[in-house]
Amino acid sequence: MPDGSLGSPLPLGRSPLHRGRGAVSNPPNRFERARTDAFDDGWGTLAETLADLPPLATSLTRDNARSALTWNDSPDIGFDRSVNPYKGCEHGCIYCYARPTHAYIGLSPGLDFESRLLFKPEVASLLEKEISKPGYVPRPIALGSNTDPYQPVERTLRLTRSVLEVLERFNHPVTIVTKSAGVLRDMDILTRMAARNLVQVCLSVTTLDNRLARIMEPRAATPLRRLAAMHELSRAGIPVGVLAAPMIPGVNDAELEKVMEAAHAHGARSAGYVLLRLPLEIRQMFEDWLNAHMPDRAARVLALVRETRAGKAYDPRFGIRQTGTGPYADMLARRFAVMMKRLGMDSARENGSLDCSQFAVPGAEERQLVLL
């Protein structure tokens, strides 16, 4: 429950497998000089103690943010502003590129990221103030660019819905990316906004294999539920796309065509993909995860990843970080392009088709008349 504090820290370093959690490690905060490691005091009880740990519960802490909008000028991202009601994500996707951001609030990108969440209770009112300012120029807002706006805690806190309520009143365009079928809860708002060409929804589908999904993204909706959500959104007239991301060499990349075909059959008319990214702490965390769940092919997977990153674990350069380089990355890009053409799909990164001209601050005209 929300208590205004971040609670007790989890042990840092290698951790036991927690049921329903993605990370198998809790690396130290890279900004801290001191670090803590579990240490056997000679009694030989450390492994037994860790094995008997209770299920890892989720804690919530208020984030007293002063703004709702986050701005970026990255040339390889299709939006310049976003809203994230939450920091951290309970879905627990091991590959999540947002994990390192937890270090900025003094927490670990590992198990902390998926179990110690911050929420912004005033996000809707802050957003309303920001987009009401004179001179604000509307462009599509990305909802869920860093953490999933429909992660489990949204069921009770309903912060994402409060944001959508503001955007609907202002006729402000929005794009949504999620792994959750929970997006269907807001079909009433999304349907009305879609009728005015103000919304696009993208479901991220990494694999169609339930077993693989369970260990890669343990608290996200099953692949079939995401496909079913696409169908419901499409049937309601809401533009829907699929994001096949990330594609992990030697793990799920063989499924690219199947994911796109299944999504298209369920109503998706746009698509995108991203090659696995391993910035900062994620590299070691992903390696720990591979060794825990796929020890027989861990070395091969990591070798393929380095092949797509010029021999390194990650290349952060704009224009390259999303797709990689080299023969393996080029082959993946060609496969994606072939499927896009075969299925007649558009790029999920394009949001220029949303209508920004309808944007209006509620009551602004009346206030102007009073001034006259």
Side-chain angles (χ1 to χ4, degrees), residues 252-315:
N252 70 329
D253 58 326
E255 294 188 71
L256 176 62
E257 289 84 357
K258 292 181 179 179
V259 167
M260 293 179 69
E261 287 174 343
H264 185 267
H266 285 79
R269 294 298 177 262
S270 61
Y273 85 98
V274 176
L275 188 66
L276 175 70
R277 296 168 55 185
L278 297 176
L280 300 170
E281 296 93 342
I282 302 180
R283 182 197 62 78
Q284 187 60 54
M285 290 174 52
F286 182 73
E287 185 173 338
D288 292 341
W289 177 87
L290 275 176
N291 287 321
H293 292 286
M294 304 176 185
D296 57 328
R297 54 174 150 160
R300 175 58 177 162
V301 170
L302 293 172
L304 289 173
V305 169
R306 288 192 292 271
E307 183 180 325
T308 66
R309 302 294 183 182
K312 298 178 290 186
Y314 182 53
D315 187 341

Side-chain angles (χ1 to χ4, degrees), residues 15-340:
S15 302
L17 295 179
H18 287 271
R19 183 176 176 82
R21 298 297 180 182
V24 298
S25 55
N26 206 44
N29 184 320
R30 63 184 179 276
F31 299 118
E32 298 290 342
R33 292 184 178 180
R35 60 175 292 167
T36 303
D37 290 299
F39 178 75
D40 196 317
D41 59 4
W43 291 100
T45 58
L46 180 60
E48 180 181 347
T49 299
L50 292 178
D52 291 337
L53 286 175
L56 183 57
T58 298
S59 66
L60 298 174
T61 301
R62 290 175 61 96
D63 181 356
N64 297 316
R66 297 182 179 180
S67 63
L69 286 173
T70 299
W71 300 82
N72 82 84
D73 57 1
S74 301
D76 59 353
I77 295 180
F79 57 87
D80 66 354
R81 66 202 73 182
S82 60
V83 173
N84 291 282
Y86 306 101
K87 292 179 181 177
C89 184
E90 201 173 4
H91 282 164
C93 305
I94 185 58
Y95 50 73
C96 182
Y97 64 83
R99 282 182 178 273
T101 62
H102 238 43
Y104 294 121
I105 53 177
L107 297 175
S108 169
L111 289 168
D112 284 352
F113 177 80
E114 54 193 274
S115 65
R116 303 173 71 186
L117 311 181
L118 277 72
F119 68 101
K120 304 174 184 178
E122 308 300 330
V123 64
S125 59
L126 290 171
L127 176 62
E128 182 167 354
K129 291 178 183 178
E130 288 177 84
I131 63 178
S132 295
K133 291 180 179 178
Y136 175 78
V137 178
R139 289 190 63 189
I141 287 176
L143 186 53
S145 62
N146 202 49
T147 56
D148 201 305
Y150 287 101
Q151 59 179 290
V153 69
E154 170 63 17
R155 298 170 192 163
T156 53
L157 295 186
R158 301 170 69 87
L159 298 180
T160 295
R161 183 174 178 88
S162 70
V163 167
L164 288 176
E165 289 170 344
V166 170
L167 296 177
E168 182 185 19
R169 286 194 293 108
F170 281 70
N171 285 327
H172 196 299
V174 61
T175 61
I176 299 172
V177 177
T178 182
K179 282 187 173 70
S180 176
V183 65
L184 297 177
R185 180 203 62 189
D186 295 333
M187 285 271 286
D188 55 336
I189 297 177
L190 298 177
T191 301
R192 292 191 297 266
M193 294 186 75
R196 302 195 296 275
N197 192 25
L198 294 173
V199 65
Q200 293 177 354
V201 179
C202 195
L203 273 294
S204 176
V205 181
T206 313
T207 176
L208 300 179
D209 182 341
N210 282 337
R211 182 199 62 80
L212 180 57
R214 190 175 297 115
I215 60 174
M216 277 206 308
E217 39 201 34
R219 298 201 178 190
T222 65
L224 288 179
R225 288 189 64 197
R226 290 178 232 179
L227 292 173
M230 287 183 192
H231 176 70
E232 292 298 317
L233 291 166
S234 177
R235 193 170 64 170
I238 300 166
V240 62
V242 61
L243 185 60
M247 287 287 103
I248 307 174
V251 176
N252 70 329
D253 58 326
E255 294 188 71
L256 176 62
E257 289 84 357
K258 292 181 179 179
V259 167
M260 293 179 69
E261 287 174 343
H264 185 267
H266 285 79
R269 294 298 177 262
S270 61
Y273 85 98
V274 176
L275 188 66
L276 175 70
R277 296 168 55 185
L278 297 176
L280 300 170
E281 296 93 342
I282 302 180
R283 182 197 62 78
Q284 187 60 54
M285 290 174 52
F286 182 73
E287 185 173 338
D288 292 341
W289 177 87
L290 275 176
N291 287 321
H293 292 286
M294 304 176 185
D296 57 328
R297 54 174 150 160
R300 175 58 177 162
V301 170
L302 293 172
L304 289 173
V305 169
R306 288 192 292 271
E307 183 180 325
T308 66
R309 302 294 183 182
K312 298 178 290 186
Y314 182 53
D315 187 341
R317 287 179 294 170
F318 292 133
I320 292 177
R321 57 180 181 165
Q322 308 278 14
T323 57
T325 59
Y328 203 96
D330 292 344
M331 179 180 64
L332 188 65
R334 287 196 298 270
R335 288 168 54 198
F336 177 76
V338 167
M339 288 303 296
M340 289 283 281

